[in-house]
């Protein structure tokens, strides 16, 4: 289907006898900017079904895999299993957060930001899923190889893993063991994804 460009607009309205001009968000998709995503298509729940305490102070691990050091596949940096293993500083416990930092967020305003973003190989995604994370944070906006798709997210979503996508500044995280807070826009009973803020705390 046709996705129209996202842009700011203005809407005039009258309230209690006073005329107001409000900012409006035209053609805004739920997956706009940094966004939180559920696998609700497979598990029948939405963003608003997740209690706030389940997104607060999540024990997490920050894996630093600079995109300039990754092998290039089909013109894009590719995260492989070897990159995961190199970035792991200690054991990753199940049901935690995994933060995949490539430093690519610094290219946010580039014209080819999506087209040249890093992606995960199928073995790398399987390796990630086998860690049994509760939530994964990405700084790449497109984790699949669109030139030769491998359907890497089907097993991921079936495993009931939450996601935060298209983050910035993850390369500034210095520690491996960190805490994660995710604050999605709470759209009642309608959204499988929504714009969000994500914060990492280093102790």
């Amino acid at each position: 289907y046709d996705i129209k460009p996202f842009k700011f607009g203005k809407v005039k309205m009258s309230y209690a006898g006073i005329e107001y001009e409000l900012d409006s968000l035209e053609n805004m998709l739920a997956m706009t900017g940094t966004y939180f995503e559920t696998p609700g298509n497979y598990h029948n729940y939405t963003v608003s079904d997740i209690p706030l305490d389940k997104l607060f102070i999540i024990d997490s691990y920050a894996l630093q895999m600079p995109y300039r050091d990754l092998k290039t596949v089909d013109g894009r940096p590719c995260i492989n299993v070897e990159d995961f293993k190199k970035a792991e500083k200690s054991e990753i416990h199940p049901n935690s957060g995994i933060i995949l930092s490539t430093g690519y967020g610094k290219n946010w305003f580039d014209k080819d930001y999506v087209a040249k973003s890093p992606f995960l190989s199928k073995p790398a995604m399987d390796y990630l899923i086998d860690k049994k994370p509760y939530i994964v944070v990405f700084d790449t906006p497109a984790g699949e190889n669109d030139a030769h798709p491998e359907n890497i997210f089907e097993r991921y979503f079936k495993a009931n893993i939450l996601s935060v996508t298209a983050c910035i500044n993850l390369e500034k995280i210095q520690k491996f063991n960190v805490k994660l807070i995710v604050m999605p826009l709470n759209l009642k009973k309608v959204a499988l994804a929504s714009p969000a803020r994500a914060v990492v705390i280093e102790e």
Side-chain angles (χ1 to χ4, degrees):
Y1 57 90
D2 181 36
I3 298 178
K4 296 180 180 180
F6 164 57
K7 60 182 179 179
F8 289 105
K10 298 287 184 180
V11 174
K12 291 185 177 181
M13 64 169 286
S14 179
Y15 176 72
I18 300 175
E19 198 73 23
Y20 294 92
E21 185 175 74
L22 306 178
D23 291 323
S24 68
L25 307 175
E26 300 178 20
N27 306 319
M28 190 181 102
L29 301 175
M31 295 177 177
T32 294
T34 296
Y35 62 90
F36 172 74
E37 184 176 8
T38 77
N41 276 330
Y42 290 95
H43 302 281
N44 194 31
Y45 65 90
T46 68
V47 171
S48 67
D49 293 316
I50 302 172
L52 186 60
D53 63 339
K54 297 296 185 181
L55 299 173
F56 187 72
I57 310 294
I58 304 167
D59 289 325
S60 301
Y61 305 89
L63 279 67
Q64 298 293 342
M65 300 175 285
Y67 74 96
R68 296 189 186 281
D69 295 340
L70 300 175
K71 293 180 180 178
T72 300
V73 177
D74 293 321
R76 294 172 58 190
C78 177
I79 298 173
N80 289 295
V81 173
E82 295 75 18
D83 303 306
F84 269 103
K85 291 181 176 180
K86 184 178 178 181
E88 291 177 48
K89 304 302 181 184
S90 65
E91 180 184 358
I92 294 177
H93 297 289
N95 204 38
S96 59
I98 297 180
I99 300 168
L100 304 183
S101 170
T102 69
Y104 191 74
K106 66 184 68 175
N107 300 303
W108 185 282
F109 293 105
D110 289 359
K111 184 178 180 180
D112 53 5
Y113 168 66
V114 175
K116 291 188 177 180
S117 62
F119 69 92
L120 284 75
S121 69
K122 181 67 165 57
M125 177 58 90
D126 287 337
Y127 185 82
L128 171 63
I129 296 167
D130 289 342
K131 295 292 180 182
K132 299 181 179 178
Y134 173 66
I135 188 169
V136 177
V137 176
F138 299 88
D139 64 3
T140 177
E144 174 73 85
N145 180 1
D146 55 354
H148 296 95
E150 298 181 284
N151 195 23
I152 65 171
F153 281 100
E154 182 176 11
R155 183 185 171 214
Y156 177 90
F157 288 129
K158 286 183 176 179
N160 203 19
I161 301 170
L162 302 173
S163 306
V164 182
T165 301
C167 290
I168 63 171
N169 297 323
L170 299 184
E171 70 279 3
K172 295 181 180 180
I173 301 171
Q174 297 183 2
K175 294 187 176 181
F176 183 62
N177 298 89
V178 297
K179 304 292 186 182
L180 172 68
I181 299 173
V182 182
M183 297 170 282
L185 183 63
N186 190 9
L187 302 174
K188 288 292 184 182
K189 304 298 180 184
V190 295
L192 299 176
S194 70
R197 291 285 191 182
V199 178
V200 170
I201 300 174
E202 296 184 82
E203 296 180 331

